């Protein structure tokens, strides 16, 4: 493993990040997007992330590093996300303002929230390329890209409703995805240079992903009264990711 993995990891996490902006494209054409459909799609995102956490991160983490490394890595990943969520001021549509009080504008707080959320996804793509298995890395990148699309839309729509222009809403949404290549590069570079960190990094990304799914995506998808639809979206997303992993990785 090598510069090739690093190159692939960075490029793939960049593409996955850009998918966030692609998902937000409908705001250019429609103002009223169905909440029900958006919640089903967010549920799908959560399902993809859960299955990626198990099949693409934890199973390899356990097989390389053993069960206790996986356990500690998950705890660390979840704790770091918890601390970031506590300390960094940010805003969630579902939960309101969190973290340290600050005078930043609503849009920046919102962007920070999505950054906290998207960083683990980039990390997940990066470390899965760090395993040296390019096919496995590509599967995670495609899955993360796919599930970024509804997330991008979920960022852009509320901005549009708060009175921001179509282009600004699309622009911010795209920007939030671009934190993923940073996480991706960091993840793949770290495990390429310090190979012994690989199982830790895989499990850490898994813990961070679990945190985001439970703390943000599922509550967001259950906020407007379409809980059951979102649950079926989750089940479908889980199956799609499980299939991708077992057919291509
Ligand atoms: Zn938060």
């Amino acid at each position: 493993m090598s510069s090739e993995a690093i190159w692939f990891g960075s490029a793939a996490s960049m593409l996955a990040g850009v998918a966030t902006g692609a998902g937000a494209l409908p705001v250019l054409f429609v103002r009223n997007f169905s909440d029900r459909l958006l919640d089903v799609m967010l549920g799908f995102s959560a399902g993809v992330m859960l299955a990626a956490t198990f099949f693409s991160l934890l199973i390899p983490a356990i097989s390389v590093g053993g069960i206790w490394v996986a356990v500690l890595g998950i705890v660390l990943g979840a704790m770091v996300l918890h601390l970031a969520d506590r300390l960094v001021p940010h805003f969630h549509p579902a939960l309101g303002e969190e973290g340290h009080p600050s005078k930043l504008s609503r849009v920046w707080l919102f962007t920070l929230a999505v950054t906290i959320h998207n960083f683990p996804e980039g990390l997940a793509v990066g470390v899965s390329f760090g395993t040296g298995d390019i096919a496995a890395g590509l599967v995670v990148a495609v899955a993360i890209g796919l599930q970024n699309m509804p997330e991008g839309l979920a960022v852009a729509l509320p901005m549009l409703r708060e009175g921001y222009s179509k282009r600004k809403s699309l622009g911010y949404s795209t920007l939030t995805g671009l934190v993923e290549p940073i996480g991706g590069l960091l993840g793949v570079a770290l495990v390429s240079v310090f190979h012994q960190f690989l199982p830790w990094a895989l499990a850490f990304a898994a813990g961070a992903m679990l945190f985001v799914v439970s703390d943000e995506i599922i509550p967001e998808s259950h906020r407007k009264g379409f809980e059951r639809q979102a649950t079926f979206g989750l089940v479908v997303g889980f199956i799609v990711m499980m299939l991708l992993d077992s057919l291509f990785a």
Side-chain angles (χ1 to χ4, degrees):
M1 184 186 10
S2 54
S3 55
E4 194 193 28
I6 295 184
W7 195 88
F8 264 106
S10 312
S13 54
M14 172 63 99
L15 285 178
V18 166
T20 314
L25 281 175
V27 296
L28 293 180
F29 312 107
V30 288
R31 189 160 280 273
N32 288 314
F33 197 86
S34 151
D35 278 338
R36 178 200 303 254
L37 183 55
L38 186 61
D39 287 352
V40 169
M41 288 161 60
L42 282 173
F44 177 87
S45 280
V48 167
M49 287 178 76
L50 282 178
T53 299
F54 297 138
F55 298 106
S56 306
L57 298 172
L58 285 178
I59 290 179
I62 294 169
S63 82
V64 178
I67 185 68
W68 295 110
V69 167
V71 168
L72 282 174
I74 292 181
V75 172
L76 273 175
M79 285 311 293
V80 166
L81 262 281
H82 163 69
L83 288 176
D85 195 68
R86 273 287 169 81
L87 298 176
V88 179
H90 63 282
F91 170 80
H92 294 285
L95 308 165
E97 289 193 22
E98 289 186 328
H100 271 299
S102 92
K103 293 200 167 71
L104 290 170
S105 77
R106 185 53 66 88
V107 170
W108 280 110
L109 291 173
F110 192 53
T111 307
L112 279 171
V114 187
T115 303
I116 296 173
H117 158 143
N118 277 348
F119 187 78
E121 295 180 0
L123 197 65
V125 173
V127 294
S128 58
F129 275 97
T131 60
D133 182 346
I134 300 289
L138 281 175
V139 164
V140 177
V142 166
I144 296 293
L146 212 65
Q147 64 88 47
N148 271 339
M149 297 176 83
E151 289 177 7
L153 195 55
V155 171
L157 281 174
M159 289 188 62
L160 203 62
R161 284 175 193 151
E162 280 208 22
Y164 289 91
S165 72
K166 292 174 177 179
R167 284 176 63 188
K168 243 191 176 151
S169 308
L170 179 63
Y172 270 110
S173 172
T174 308
L175 207 65
T176 61
L178 294 184
V179 64
E180 295 201 5
I182 303 174
L185 179 61
L186 205 77
V188 71
L190 180 80
V191 299
S192 297
V193 177
F194 304 103
H195 199 61
Q196 66 275 27
F197 280 160
L198 178 66
W200 289 97
L202 286 164
F204 180 93
M209 295 260 280
L210 281 181
F211 183 95
V212 169
V213 169
S214 167
D215 205 64
E216 304 197 352
I217 306 191
I218 292 176
E220 173 66 25
S221 72
H222 284 210
R223 190 162 63 92
K224 300 179 220 88
F226 305 110
E227 294 91 339
R228 187 54 45 88
Q229 289 92 330
T231 294
F232 281 108
L234 185 149
V235 171
V236 171
F238 194 99
I239 292 171
V240 166
M241 181 63 209
M242 187 170 75
L243 280 173
L244 280 176
D245 186 79
S246 92
L247 296 179
F248 299 108

